[in-house]
Amino acid sequence: MSIAKYPTIPDFHEVVNLKDGSQVTLRPIRPDDAPRLQEGFSRLTPQSIYMRFLQAAKELTDQQARELAEVDYQTRMAIVGSVPEDGHERLVVVARYGRLDRAEEGLAEAAIVVRDDYQKRGLGRIAMQRLVRYASEHGVRGLVATVHANNTPVLNFIRNTGMPFKKRILEPGVWEIVIPLTPEVS
């Protein structure tokens, strides 16, 4: 896929302050972020990788990174947060959604990963708030997340948003959580 196949990358950049005073720049993902996704993945702990992908993995392949970095900004979107480190832009959060085949329901699968050294600073909440707002503006009526039952931080995060949600067991130890963004999604 080349960038020419996609609409113009949305033009928004926002510098946000975290609980500890550090700053992160939020922006839409770009196709040239694929190597930054791989670098960020390499800095995740095995536990963070498992909780995000529900499987163990040692690396993000070139193909996987390209697929994650190339979105259409409508049915598939990702917001990344970056910081300057060692003279390079490093990704520390990725919040994304992808419309499901159940598109008539207006549902999209959502996921987030925060680099381990940036966890517990409020970054996940900020990135998800921006993603929810963007998704709502682009016709997404509800977000669906697949969460490991032991992923207490994400389960608490969902509870603490104050947004209503429903959950059901997909398989032992794995929940599907639906967060309606509009009242008609149930």
Side-chain angles (χ1 to χ4, degrees), residues 115-128:
R115 202 173 78 182
D116 291 81
D117 57 332
Y118 274 79
Q119 292 178 11
K120 298 183 176 153
R121 298 190 198 187
L123 180 56
R125 177 182 302 272
I126 294 168
M128 279 306 291

Side-chain angles (χ1 to χ4, degrees), residues 102-181:
R102 307 181 289 193
E104 71 281 353
E105 298 175 32
L107 296 177
E109 185 172 26
I112 186 168
V113 65
V114 178
R115 202 173 78 182
D116 291 81
D117 57 332
Y118 274 79
Q119 292 178 11
K120 298 183 176 153
R121 298 190 198 187
L123 180 56
R125 177 182 302 272
I126 294 168
M128 279 306 291
Q129 287 171 342
R130 300 321 185 266
L131 186 71
V132 165
R133 182 172 60 218
Y134 189 93
S136 295
E137 292 169 356
H138 289 83
V140 175
R141 296 175 35 220
L143 296 176
V144 178
T146 304
V147 180
H148 193 283
N150 290 335
N151 195 341
T152 305
V154 168
L155 293 170
N156 287 337
F157 169 77
I158 292 168
R159 281 187 202 100
N160 292 334
T161 64
M163 298 177 76
F165 66 91
K166 293 182 179 182
K167 66 181 182 177
R168 71 181 180 98
I169 295 175
L170 286 180
E171 59 186 65
V174 179
W175 291 94
E176 178 184 73
I177 298 174
V178 178
I179 302 167
L181 303 182

